[in-house]
Amino acid sequence: PLVLEPLLGRLAELDRKHWRAEPTFCSGAEGEVAPINKPHDLSAEVGTRRDALDFEVEEAITRAEDIQPGWNALGGEKRALLLEAAADLFEEHTDEFLSLCQREAGKTLLDAVLELREAVDFLRFYANEARRQFSGPMPLPGPTGEENRLTLNGRGVFACISPWNFPLAIFIGTPAAALAAGNTVVAKPAEQTPLIAALAVRLCHEAGIPEEAFQLLPGAGEVGELITSDPRIAGVAFTGSTQTAQAINRSLAARDGPIATLIAETGGQNAMIVDSTALPEQVTRDVVASAFQSAGQRCSALRVLHIQEDVYDEMLTMIRGAFEALHIGNPEHLATDIGPVIDPDAKSSLERHVARRKKGSSNVWRRRLHRGAAAGCFVAPTIIELDSILDLKRENFGPILHVVRYKASDLGRVVEDINATGYGLTLGLHSRNDDTRAFVESRAKVGNFYVNRNQIGAVVESQPFGGEGLSGTGPKAGGPHYVARFATERVVCIDTTAAGGNATLLA
Ligand code: UN1
């Protein structure tokens, strides 16, 4: 259990700790070292990142390839035990993880706690999947005199490339699945959040996962490109922007070698529909959480709220009231609801979007920022009125909510417009009308559909997560089909008749 007072004391102490991220097998060579600063206070250094050099990437893949058959041969049960031992160690290191989530990624304490919870859930869930699907052959039917069975094995070396917005949960989630399936892993964390990744990898090694089987390769996009262009990489699990996923897809296609698997979880243009039967207080709470929690930096976050015109003014007034009450500030302070965005680039791209909309004469409401906000990457939470979701050309990854008014008779067109964005990640609906729910559910092309609740915070196993179209390839993370996608299937067919000769063909 988290006891708050002593925890805050320990977090204050950890604020003095300086961290380092470097490649798992770091050569003596001098690589480029970059500082990692707090997003909410760019003058405060949390640690440093030493990027993987080209030859270190090359050697990492060689090591991972050499050990992969042995790791695969361990079998599902032994791999499960190692992943579970890692989960235990993660829980023992709660303070350090919470501290790093706050300092390196600018997360509030609530988001940090949820992040660690999800990381541990992923480790335990995929461990169980290893046990369930990788503990021996699955018998297949066949005629007398023939034995058929199917086994799942690792594909080889998987590259796992993860985003800064879930620097622990997603960073560890995809490698855990890849390892569960019998692959070895080279993992490149986001360039903004390598420190928490380095701690996660170190604890996995302490838990008994061989260093060669799970290696950290810090760096920016070039390191990622180097990894994915190597023909020895059997598959890539990527979470991040749609554009980067498309670039990885092209790079895999251009390689001269085996055809690689790509598992991508990308962006969204997530909408919520609110009709006149919805309960206003509940809508208000869920809209604010979906759009602004984590400073809107979730791929599941609500971007465009469609409100039926009969209740539009009333709903918008209530949402704006709750929005005015949000506490924006230092994520290390307990009272803060909304912290910074990740870095100066994110801030300026969000600011450009708001400026364009203001110029285009949309109605725009913005919160005022706190004193001292200029020291960090704060973006004032913003609400922007739009005519249509199709006015947006790209995902705005931050605390910006767009609102659109619709007529009850236009519900079909609203769903068509949402589908026409090409994204298909989350969709929210607030309605007490079952026919409306059934209609939207049957037409909307989305991965996760949430009714009368918020649309973020998918829970491992209960709400497997992932989208379609521009939002990703599937299968859903934390779901029953995820781990199998990291594996290759082998069918063994044995003639068991004494005489030899194929019973089936001769019959
Ligand atoms: C992401 O933001 O990259 O449901 C995906 C949620 C999270 C989203 C993770 N599982 O809010």
Side-chain angles (χ1 to χ4, degrees), residues 17 25 31 62 69 72 169 184 202 209 218 224 244 256-257 282 333 348 373 377 397 402 404 443 450 473-474 495:
K17 187 163 169 148
F25 292 94
T62 304
N72 185 62
T184 51
R202 182 164 68 70
I209 296 170
T244 305
D256 201 7
Q282 199 183 17
H333 296 168
S348 53
C377 308
F397 210 75
H402 306 86
V404 174
R443 304 259 171 131
Y450 293 101
T473 58
D495 183 337

Side-chain angles (χ1 to χ4, degrees), residues 118 163 165-166 170 239 265-266 297-301 397 450 455-458 465:
E118 190 173 5
N165 70 330
F166 285 92
I170 295 181
T239 306
E265 206 253 276
T266 58
Q297 299 176 107
R298 287 177 180 250
C299 59
S300 53
F397 210 75
Y450 293 101
Q455 66 196 83
I456 57 166
F465 186 81

Side-chain angles (χ1 to χ4, degrees), residues 385-416:
E385 271 187 329
L386 290 182
D387 292 331
S388 161
I389 191 171
L390 295 173
D391 294 348
L392 295 173
K393 296 294 168 252
R394 48 188 291 274
E395 182 182 31
N396 294 281
F397 210 75
I400 300 178
L401 172 67
H402 306 86
V403 284
V404 174
R405 185 193 297 259
Y406 77 91
K407 276 199 194 46
S409 56
D410 281 347
L411 182 65
R413 194 185 43 80
V414 169
V415 178
E416 272 170 34

Side-chain angles (χ1 to χ4, degrees), residues 180-216:
N183 302 281
T184 51
V185 171
V186 288
K188 192 200 85 63
E191 66 201 86
Q192 295 90 340
T193 53
L195 303 175
I196 196 161
L199 176 60
V201 171
R202 182 164 68 70
L203 294 179
C204 286
H205 296 158
E206 265 177 43
I209 296 170
E211 291 185 8
E212 295 83 355
F214 183 21
Q215 298 175 61
L216 184 75

Side-chain angles (χ1 to χ4, degrees), residues 22-27 56 59-60 63 211-216:
E22 55 186 32
T24 295
F25 292 94
C26 198
S27 70
E56 289 171 328
E59 287 180 8
R63 282 192 190 92
E211 291 185 8
E212 295 83 355
F214 183 21
Q215 298 175 61
L216 184 75

